[in-house]
Amino acid sequence: MLAHLSKLLHAPDFIAAHRAHDKAFTRQRVLTFPVLVSFLLCSFKGSLQTLLDDLFATLDGGALRTVTKSAVSQARQKLKATAFEALNDSLIGLLNELLPEPRWQGLRLVATDSTTLRLPPWQENQDEFGVQTDSASQPYVLARALGLFATTSKLMIKAVVGRFDDAERALLASLLPHLSGDDLLIMDRGFPAIWLFTLLQQRGLPFLARMDGNQWPVVEDFLRSALSETVVTLPVSAHARRQAQAAGMNLIDKTLTLRLIKVVLSTGHIEVLATSLIDSQAFPLQAFGELYHARWAIEEAFKVLKHRLYLEQFTGELPESIRQDIHAKIFTANLAEALAREAYALLPDEKAARYFPNITYILHSLKNRLFGWLIQRVPHDHVLELIALYARTLERKRPDRKTPRPKNRVSPKPRRQYR
């Protein structure tokens, strides 16, 4: 797998497809296309110059200073962020062949959600992502990143970065071509809309979503009833069609069919879920509470990106550099999860039931190794030894641990950390 990714990174066609212009990366320099991409995949936690010195020391045997951060800033202007998206697509394809994902009733569980990212306040970022104002009337810049996340394999399949004021539903609609009819898309209560559900229905994409009864009369009626589940058919209004058109989509179906399901939580609270999986024999009612809970995995994925890979500590200040960092860290997180799955497969059944490889340790170990792996040929035995080490560095599973959400939490806006 690593050898394939390294070969792809050095391929002339790949380089030509993801450089800013034809003359980029044609001269013999230290920061070649593969070197720059490999460095950005490993550049987390630390000042930019320190990262450069440490990582290049692993290649040339201890030179004090090989590349300056100014040189990186200039070189990355020739690089498209699509290089990291293409690498991630290749990684996902390889993993689907080598480590097929367990499925539920033949369906891959795919969660979607978005997170906000605080960006440098430069004018270019304001123009690209928009400007927000805090309670003290101080401007700041936020972006919104939305992802599709395979909950069992813990892999971010695809992600899109947009303005903070971009609607989550519209961002999701742009990623639907990356789903297929054997994926079950799981959404929280911010996503349900007649136009989006209809779009998923006419594309043959199964879905499951939590519903907010205050905005859906049919859900309020269902909550007041004694039924545990019901199937409803709703008309697709002209307003829903206009909403779809505003997102660049066209609705053909005239009606929408949903199966509504009640799920009683441990607190006694009742949630209502809506799904396109109408067949109650093939998809029994009792399974849906746990299915929807699988959505929480994408929340944990965003936590890893922000707090283990330091996503908001950008190595560049402008829009394309920011996109490079986001997609680079998604690739690194996916690679770490793939290695964790390999290590997990080595555990005896009794231990596997209680433990999982420590992903924070794996990410830290990749920081100084991945750079050399992608630039130079990595011995297969070395990778196997490392996976065996991951299998001995474990974290206990805590499936029932819960932390109450504070009711009046103040959202902090910390100062950006300089690199």
Side-chain angles (χ1 to χ4, degrees), residues 155-175:
L155 298 175
M156 191 71 74
I157 303 166
K158 202 70 179 178
V160 61
V161 183
R163 296 168 60 93
F164 171 75
D165 53 12
D166 283 342
E168 285 184 313
R169 297 163 185 155
L171 290 175
L172 173 59
S174 72
L175 293 185

Side-chain angles (χ1 to χ4, degrees), residues 76 117-120 310-317 321-323 325-326 329 416-417 419:
R76 72 187 309 167
L117 303 169
R118 185 151 185 159
L119 309 183
Y310 305 91
L311 182 55
E312 291 176 297
Q313 294 183 23
F314 298 104
T315 61
E317 299 280 294
S321 296
I322 288 166
R323 288 190 170 91
D325 277 352
I326 292 170
K329 287 179 169 59
R416 294 187 58 247
Q417 297 190 33
R419 296 179 67 92

Side-chain angles (χ1 to χ4, degrees), residues 104-125:
W104 177 79
Q105 302 291 75
L107 297 171
R108 178 177 66 167
L109 305 184
V110 179
T112 188
D113 206 349
S114 72
T115 189
T116 57
L117 303 169
R118 185 151 185 159
L119 309 183
W122 307 122
Q123 187 62 48
E124 293 90 340
N125 293 333

Side-chain angles (χ1 to χ4, degrees), residues 189 210-221 223-224 270 272:
R189 56 186 173 182
R210 181 181 173 187
M211 303 293 285
D212 189 340
N214 295 329
Q215 300 179 15
W216 294 72
V218 67
V219 174
E220 289 186 331
D221 294 342
L223 275 170
R224 286 192 290 265
I270 298 177
V272 175

Side-chain angles (χ1 to χ4, degrees), residues 197-415:
F197 284 172
T198 305
L199 182 63
L200 291 166
Q201 174 184 269
Q202 70 185 34
R203 292 194 179 192
L205 299 175
F207 62 86
L208 172 67
R210 181 181 173 187
M211 303 293 285
D212 189 340
N214 295 329
Q215 300 179 15
W216 294 72
V218 67
V219 174
E220 289 186 331
D221 294 342
F222 176 56
L223 275 170
R224 286 192 290 265
S225 75
L227 298 173
S228 297
E229 63 175 298
T230 189
V231 175
V232 298
T233 300
L234 305 173
V236 179
S237 66
H239 176 64
R241 296 183 188 280
R242 288 193 296 271
Q243 287 180 308
Q245 289 172 354
M249 303 295 163
N250 184 38
L251 298 185
I252 299 173
D253 291 358
K254 295 181 179 180
T255 60
L256 169 67
T257 301
L258 295 173
R259 179 184 175 193
L260 300 179
I261 297 169
K262 288 178 184 174
V263 174
V264 182
L265 304 180
S266 59
T267 60
H269 180 74
I270 298 177
E271 284 183 348
V272 175
L273 305 178
T275 182
S276 60
L277 302 177
I278 306 300
D279 189 342
S280 59
Q281 297 296 319
F283 309 106
L285 167 72
Q286 295 78 10
F288 282 91
E290 186 176 350
L291 277 181
Y292 178 73
H293 181 69
R295 190 203 67 83
W296 189 253
I298 193 171
E299 305 279 2
E300 291 295 313
F302 285 138
K303 183 175 76 174
V304 168
L305 287 169
K306 285 187 168 184
H307 299 288
R308 300 293 181 269
L309 287 170
Y310 305 91
L311 182 55
E312 291 176 297
Q313 294 183 23
F314 298 104
T315 61
E317 299 280 294
L318 300 181
E320 191 66 9
S321 296
I322 288 166
R323 288 190 170 91
Q324 290 169 6
D325 277 352
I326 292 170
H327 291 294
K329 287 179 169 59
I330 287 172
F331 172 89
T332 303
N334 281 347
L335 180 60
E337 287 291 352
L339 293 172
R341 286 174 65 192
E342 287 276 16
Y344 184 71
L346 300 178
L347 299 180
D349 291 343
E350 181 181 350
K351 185 169 283 189
R354 295 181 295 135
Y355 295 95
F356 193 81
N358 187 314
I359 197 67
T360 301
Y361 177 83
I362 295 174
L363 286 168
H364 180 75
S365 73
L366 282 179
K367 180 180 175 182
N368 292 326
R369 290 183 172 92
L370 180 58
F371 184 58
W373 286 355
L374 293 176
I375 301 302
Q376 303 167 335
R377 183 177 296 274
V378 53
H380 185 63
D381 291 345
H382 178 67
V383 178
L384 294 179
E385 290 173 3
L386 198 59
I387 291 174
L389 177 61
Y390 296 158
R392 301 195 301 272
T393 310
L394 304 174
E395 185 73 17
R396 190 177 182 87
K397 294 180 180 179
R398 297 174 176 86
D400 298 321
R401 185 170 62 176
K402 297 179 181 179
T403 302
R405 179 176 293 181
K407 293 182 179 180
N408 299 311
R409 179 174 58 186
V410 176
S411 179
K413 296 185 177 65
R415 294 183 179 134

Side-chain angles (χ1 to χ4, degrees), residues 39 45-55 65 419:
F39 168 72
K45 194 177 183 181
S47 72
L48 188 55
Q49 190 61 64
T50 301
L51 289 167
L52 283 165
D53 292 346
D54 290 348
L55 291 175
R65 176 77 35 95
R419 296 179 67 92

